[in-house]
Amino acid sequence: MQALTKLLHHEAAGGVILLIATALALIFQNGILSHFYNEILHSQFIIGFRGHDLAKPLITWVNDGLMAIFFFVVGLELKKEVREGELSRPSQIALPAVGALGGVITPALIFWAFNHSNEFALRGWAIPTATDIAFAVGIMALLGSRIPSGLKIFLLTLAVVDDLCAIIIIALFYTEHLYTASMMLAAACLGVLWVFNKLRVGKKSVYMLFTFLLWLSVLNSGVHATIAGVLAAFCIPTVDKDGNRMLDELHEDLHGITTFFILPVFAFVNAGVGLRGVELSQLVNSVGMGIFFGLFVGKQVGVFIFTFVFIKILKLGKLPSGATWGKLYGVCILAGIGFTMSLFVNSLAYHESKEFFYADKIGILLASLASGVVGYFYLFFYDKIFKSKLAKNPKDNE
């Protein structure tokens, strides 16, 4: 529990910084610094040398470059959990995995219901399927002992499985054109990393060099570059040949960077929604509505119904330790905080298109805000409101 407590407080601080970065993006985009803000985002940055360089705007470097580091850290977390954590025991992962499945299917169906007649709009079906672990865990930290440890582990595991689902969705549905030469070079780099892993090579610099080459190859292959981060992470040995816990060390080195720098920078460059001249009628379109109701309604309903069926009807599991059905539903509400991952999938789906008058980004922001606020106050007042009722009818939560 000490490690879990440390993680919760760490992510709580990260959530606050994410909120500040989002507010700054909105202020910059809608204030006197709007022109400066957009000039910075779309300024060309070049790496390499003449004839062999990459020139991309800053926003692309953030989404394809910095976010690859974020996904590398996610990959390290996934591998650690699979090898020796919550994902290593089928009995522990089953319930949150089923909940995560419901939290992917239900929002996607709601989005489809709003947008099935518009082929371009349907590209965003995966936007409301993600949970932002930083904000969700941050709110849990603020609630403290009001949430039992079993439910905290449930939401953490659900968010990890959610990230895995997002990675698979990006790889399968947001890859358009493949370039064979780059794919072969990426495969060669991945093969070298796999050999290093089997030999348990203890030099971090060697792994980082080939991870960079892998990322560069994937960037030019047509597959989204963030996938390189996940693949490379799974090639990091848990323990090297000298007995050092390399995976833990790399995670420790990079976790703070992703929490306090990469994710806030991502939020700052992606959350700047221009509201000047935008009418309410333009925002109430099928995409904005599909995202809002998918995240705020679909997430909580999908996670709860799937876990309810798994426990009460199929009799394949039981409630997390110390949990009640009421508190479980409150945690399901928090799963609707999409934010970072939803904004990321949005950038892949619509490529900065303004066809929907920013309704896509506003839908993400409003749904995430609603899920966070409603989930927080529901869980904050839950014990006070239901304490007397539960004392009289203890079977209500069995």
Side-chain angles (χ1 to χ4, degrees), residues 27-47:
I27 292 170
F28 272 56
Q29 182 65 274
N30 295 283
I32 59 174
L33 296 174
S34 175
H35 179 73
F36 171 76
Y37 175 76
N38 285 286
E39 281 291 316
I40 291 293
L41 295 191
H42 296 94
S43 295
Q44 293 286 319
F45 285 79
I46 303 172
I47 65 169

Side-chain angles (χ1 to χ4, degrees), residues 137-186:
V137 170
I139 291 176
M140 283 200 301
L142 295 175
L143 289 164
S145 60
R146 288 180 176 85
I147 301 183
S149 60
L151 274 181
K152 292 176 181 177
I153 294 173
F154 170 83
L155 183 58
L156 281 169
T157 308
L158 184 145
V160 169
V161 176
D162 230 16
D163 281 342
L164 182 59
C165 291
I167 291 164
I168 294 171
I169 287 170
I170 291 168
L172 294 179
F173 298 100
Y174 293 101
T175 296
E176 296 178 350
H177 306 291
L178 297 178
Y179 298 95
T180 306
S182 295
M183 287 289 289
M184 290 177 65
L185 184 57

Side-chain angles (χ1 to χ4, degrees), residues 73-94:
V73 175
V74 170
L76 293 175
E77 292 175 348
L78 284 171
K79 181 170 182 177
K80 182 177 175 62
E81 292 297 324
V82 168
R83 292 295 297 272
E84 51 193 36
E86 293 300 325
L87 304 186
S88 64
R89 291 168 288 177
S91 60
Q92 290 291 102
I93 188 180

Side-chain angles (χ1 to χ4, degrees), residues 170-377:
I170 291 168
L172 294 179
F173 298 100
Y174 293 101
T175 296
E176 296 178 350
H177 306 291
L178 297 178
Y179 298 95
T180 306
S182 295
M183 287 289 289
M184 290 177 65
L185 184 57
C189 292
L190 189 61
V192 171
L193 286 169
W194 180 80
V195 171
F196 287 164
N197 176 58
K198 290 299 179 182
L199 296 175
R200 296 196 297 167
V201 174
K203 292 287 186 181
K204 294 179 187 176
S205 57
V206 174
Y207 288 98
M208 293 303 97
L209 172 61
F210 279 92
T211 295
F212 174 75
L213 293 175
L214 173 64
W215 170 79
L216 202 58
S217 302
V218 173
L219 182 65
N220 288 307
S221 70
V223 179
H224 198 270
T226 52
I227 302 301
V230 180
L231 294 175
F234 273 84
C235 291
I236 301 299
T238 305
V239 180
D240 66 23
K241 61 183 179 181
D242 297 319
N244 299 313
R245 295 189 63 83
M246 182 181 289
L247 189 145
D248 289 343
E249 291 174 4
L250 275 174
H251 185 268
E252 185 68 24
D253 292 341
L254 295 174
H255 190 254
I257 295 172
T258 58
T259 301
F260 297 111
F261 175 70
I262 291 175
L263 289 181
V265 168
F266 172 82
F268 180 74
V269 303
N270 283 278
V273 179
L275 300 176
R276 287 177 294 186
V278 176
E279 299 177 3
L280 181 62
S281 59
Q282 294 174 325
L283 299 178
V284 185
N285 59 40
S286 62
V287 168
M289 300 289 280
I291 291 173
F292 179 84
F293 287 105
L295 269 175
F296 182 57
V297 178
K299 265 290 184 180
Q300 57 182 276
V301 171
V303 174
F304 186 80
I305 288 179
F306 272 57
T307 53
F308 182 86
V309 170
F310 189 75
I311 294 172
K312 296 289 282 187
I313 298 178
L314 300 179
K315 308 292 185 183
L316 295 175
K318 59 181 181 179
L319 282 170
S321 175
T324 64
W325 283 109
K327 284 195 174 183
L328 174 66
Y329 191 79
V331 169
C332 293
I333 298 174
L334 294 182
I337 305 174
F339 197 67
T340 307
M341 287 301 298
S342 292
L343 284 172
F344 182 68
V345 175
N346 181 76
S347 70
L348 300 180
Y350 300 131
H351 304 295
E352 300 306 310
S353 169
K354 297 180 181 178
E355 180 174 338
F356 306 114
F357 303 100
Y358 294 114
D360 46 355
K361 290 186 177 181
I362 292 174
I364 293 169
L365 295 175
L366 290 179
S368 298
L369 178 64
S371 297
V373 171
V374 173
Y376 174 81
F377 283 106

